[in-house]
Amino acid sequence: MEVVQVLHMKGGVGETSYANNSLLQQKVLSMTKPIREEAMTKLYCSTYPAGIAIADLGCSSGPNTLFVVSELIKLVDSIRQKLGQRSTEYQVFLNDLPGNDFNTIFRSLPSFQNKLKKQLGGGSGPCFFNGVPGSFYGRLFRHNSLHFVHSSYSLHWLSQVPEGLESNKGNIYIANTSPPDVLKAYYEQFQQDFSLFLKCRSEELVEGGRMVLTFLGRRSDDPSSKECCYIWELLAMALNDMVFENEPDLSDAFKDGGYNFAKCIRAVTEPLLASHFGEAIIDEVFRRYRDIVADRMSKEKTEFVNVTISLIKG
């Protein structure tokens, strides 16, 4: 089955849904707020456009989906009022793959719009929302139609599984046991995907349009560094333990942290795992994953490295 058909966060608003387990992504959005605000301020103050088209690529569903959009609209309206400029109309495009839970997003829009209208007060321009299902590794919008593009924690997902991974036995991503040909396959796939992404957005952005992108990265030269790949290596351990029925003796010291982190990763990966292995194993896989993560947290410090880039179409 193709990645585009199964790659999406856990939908709905249940206990294991992405909507209720996306605090990590929310924290990253808060950390990168100054970069977005600087880019949008420079965009608006360069021409004071009567309308601004904003696209959020890989929007998922839940509270984070409309967080950035709300932020940007309130920022522009604040600048507009201070400078005595006319009202701005907003066109918002929420993009993700077709399997994304767009229904939950659409159901939340009326209350979001009412809240935003109260926050902005009189004199603010209207805001129009559109759902755009499809892969951002291809054209999604008309030529020269977007002013601002945002994407957070989406671009580290590839368009497809690279070819030539047969030698990556016992792993689900790049691990310290992965042979060189596997590293090369992932590298080439990312190069191809990211180049296509930039080409498509360059055609869709207006002259002077802005783009802010955030994704997982690393400081180390090692592709299997714990800074970026460790979470997948531990998930592979949980899957392998199920095959061999291993039951590790683990510390309770960091159990709560392991539980919370496992819920976050489950919300992201459950649809992928369920499509491959079936629903029946999911609870047990993530029980084991929680215990493995808790054990590792009690012995070593692991931190995420994020890369944020701000671009302008010259």
Side-chain angles (χ1 to χ4, degrees):
M1 189 174 288
E2 292 186 9
V3 170
V4 69
Q5 295 175 292
V6 296
L7 178 56
H8 57 85
M9 307 298 102
K10 180 74 179 289
V13 291
E15 183 184 351
T16 60
S17 67
Y18 180 80
N20 286 321
N21 295 282
S22 51
L23 287 177
L24 171 63
Q25 292 84 349
Q26 187 181 89
K27 183 177 180 181
V28 172
L29 289 175
S30 296
M31 290 169 61
T32 54
K33 180 179 179 179
I35 300 172
R36 287 192 301 276
E37 288 192 339
E38 181 185 10
M40 179 57 90
T41 300
K42 288 181 177 178
L43 167 72
Y44 178 70
C45 292
S46 62
T47 59
Y48 303 112
I52 296 178
I54 303 169
D56 197 331
L57 308 183
C59 65
S60 191
S61 63
N64 294 344
T65 298
L66 298 169
F67 175 75
V68 170
V69 170
S70 172
E71 236 184 23
L72 294 173
I73 291 173
K74 285 187 283 189
L75 172 68
V76 171
D77 200 65
S78 173
I79 298 171
R80 173 193 71 79
Q81 291 186 52
K82 288 177 183 176
L83 298 178
Q85 293 292 324
R86 58 187 170 174
S87 296
T88 305
E89 293 190 347
Y90 305 93
Q91 187 90 32
V92 176
F93 299 100
L94 301 172
N95 157 260
D96 214 311
L97 293 174
N100 183 53
D101 187 4
F102 284 102
N103 285 336
T104 295
I105 298 174
F106 297 151
R107 281 194 291 267
S108 71
L109 279 178
S111 61
F112 171 80
Q113 288 176 302
N114 288 333
K115 182 180 177 182
L116 185 63
K117 198 170 183 179
K118 289 178 182 177
Q119 290 173 332
L120 295 177
S124 62
C127 183
F128 306 101
F129 286 85
N130 303 265
V132 184
S135 171
F136 49 50
Y137 294 122
R139 283 288 301 277
L140 291 166
F141 308 100
R142 289 188 302 105
H143 185 72
N144 287 343
S145 63
L146 300 177
H147 295 87
F148 194 96
V149 172
H150 173 261
S151 183
S152 181
Y153 265 41
S154 296
L155 277 162
H156 42 248
W157 293 101
L158 301 176
S159 67
Q160 64 182 47
V161 177
E163 296 182 3
L165 301 184
E166 294 78 13
S167 59
N168 201 27
K169 300 295 184 183
N171 300 311
I172 58 174
Y173 189 47
I174 300 171
N176 56 17
T177 58
S178 298
D181 61 318
V182 169
L183 310 187
K184 183 182 178 184
Y186 275 108
Y187 174 77
E188 290 179 348
Q189 186 64 53
F190 176 77
Q191 288 279 79
Q192 177 183 317
D193 285 347
F194 195 49
S195 295
L196 182 57
F197 176 89
L198 294 176
K199 179 179 183 295
C200 292
R201 304 296 83 79
S202 71
E203 295 173 17
E204 295 163 349
L205 278 165
V206 300
E207 197 76 13
R210 303 275 176 157
M211 185 159 62
V212 177
L213 312 173
T214 299
F215 41 94
L216 281 169
R218 66 176 190 272
R219 287 179 292 236
S220 169
D221 290 336
D222 179 9
S224 64
S225 164
K226 290 181 179 179
E227 293 174 323
C228 62
C229 302
Y230 200 39
I231 54 176
W232 310 118
E233 195 164 339
L234 299 184
L235 185 54
M237 286 176 59
L239 290 166
N240 285 321
D241 282 350
M242 285 192 68
V243 173
F244 299 108
E245 289 306 319
N246 294 330
E247 194 67 51
D249 180 22
L250 302 172
S251 166
D252 287 337
F254 285 74
K255 182 174 282 188
D256 289 345
Y259 176 74
N260 292 331
F261 186 78
K263 284 180 69 176
C264 176
I265 299 302
R266 175 172 180 167
V268 171
T269 59
E270 180 175 335
L272 280 172
L273 293 174
S275 71
H276 193 77
F277 298 107
E279 296 277 355
I281 73 160
I282 298 299
D283 286 342
E284 178 63 14
V285 166
F286 284 99
R287 183 191 69 78
R288 291 169 179 267
Y289 185 61
R290 175 201 67 199
D291 290 344
I292 291 170
V293 170
D295 181 61
R296 295 306 173 97
M297 287 174 69
S298 70
K299 297 173 181 175
E300 57 196 25
K301 182 180 178 181
T302 302
E303 58 183 26
F304 291 105
V305 174
N306 300 299
V307 176
T308 299
I309 54 177
S310 181
L311 305 132
I312 181 171
K313 180 178 175 180

